[in-house]
Amino acid sequence: MRMAIFASPIVNVMHNIFKFPAKVLLSDTYDYEKKKQERNNRLSSDSREFEATVAHSMGHTATKEEVDIFKGIVKFGSITVKQIMQPRLDVKGIKENWSYSKVRAQLLSGGYSRMPVYRNNIDEIVGMIHTKDFLPYSDINDFDWHSIIRPTYYVHEYKLIEELLNEFQEKKIHFAV
């Protein structure tokens, strides 16, 4: 009881000091939550309108998969390379000084049709190897595979994938760093 009597004036002063800032912060939070709810309602409404438009254009009720495909098509123009690229840690590559047998084993175990060739680490890309280029030499045990390294095509991570796809089609390439 003595502790409560002693602490009550201190708590009263603290309450008076922080009453106004607390009101401001709480009102900001309420405004934020209200705007967030309105935005979610608007997005939900837009989503229903989009689904109705898709269903109308297809002549039947669209499935969730069909709607998702159309949403992906609409979003396609705003997606950047960074959003779809393979993370650096997941990239499998071939070291420039490897033997032909080790390169062939890496290509077979990698499961990719194209792999980067690097010098000291994966950040020093010197070219690209295509699995199909190895097919004529599959019977040879010792082959200088460096002669079939192709040049690397570099792109900026903030390039839109729509632009990148157009470049791929024009240059007839399928892989970029």
Side-chain angles (χ1 to χ4, degrees):
M1 189 65 134
R2 272 191 269 163
M3 179 68 162
I5 292 171
F6 174 77
S8 66
I10 297 170
V11 171
N12 195 23
V13 169
M14 298 294 277
H15 173 71
N16 289 331
I17 291 173
F18 291 112
K19 182 174 22 177
F20 180 72
K23 275 186 179 177
V24 171
L25 291 174
L26 285 173
S27 68
D28 285 349
T29 303
Y30 291 136
D31 290 343
Y32 173 77
E33 288 296 325
K34 187 176 177 182
K35 287 178 184 176
K36 185 178 173 185
Q37 184 64 34
E38 289 172 1
R39 188 175 67 238
N40 287 343
N41 290 341
R42 193 172 53 249
L43 288 174
S44 177
S45 172
D46 290 347
S47 179
R48 284 191 298 273
E49 288 176 24
F50 185 77
E51 289 176 21
T53 304
V54 169
H56 179 70
S57 67
M58 297 182 75
H60 63 83
T61 304
T63 65
K64 181 176 176 4
E65 291 82 20
E66 291 169 334
V67 171
D68 289 343
I69 289 170
F70 279 107
K71 282 181 183 177
I73 292 169
V74 171
K75 285 181 11 182
F76 185 76
S78 63
I79 297 173
T80 62
V81 169
K82 185 175 184 168
Q83 292 173 289
I84 63 161
M85 69 184 185
Q86 183 82 0
R88 184 183 163 280
L89 295 173
D90 296 340
V91 173
K92 291 188 177 198
I94 297 169
K95 197 160 184 178
E96 188 180 34
N97 62 3
W98 283 358
S99 67
Y100 173 69
S101 59
K102 191 169 184 177
V103 170
R104 186 170 55 190
Q106 177 72 356
L107 284 172
L108 291 173
S109 69
Y112 299 106
S113 60
R114 295 158 187 87
M115 289 184 124
V117 177
Y118 62 92
R119 189 156 286 134
N120 296 319
N121 61 41
I122 198 71
D123 294 325
E124 290 183 57
I125 306 280
V126 296
M128 196 67 47
I129 285 288
H130 291 244
T131 307
K132 69 179 184 175
D133 294 341
F134 269 79
L135 292 177
Y137 310 104
S138 60
D139 296 338
I140 301 172
N141 289 333
D142 194 25
F143 167 68
D144 182 21
W145 61 274
H146 297 90
S147 61
I148 58 174
I149 295 177
R150 296 185 184 197
T152 308
Y153 183 65
Y154 293 94
V155 296
H156 194 274
E157 64 185 4
Y158 294 106
K159 180 184 276 291
L160 295 175
I161 62 169
E162 187 173 20
E163 295 173 19
L164 181 62
L165 181 62
N166 290 333
E167 288 180 22
F168 276 6
Q169 290 171 339
E170 287 172 10
K171 299 178 186 219
K172 297 185 180 355
I173 55 175
H174 302 93
F175 192 96
V177 175

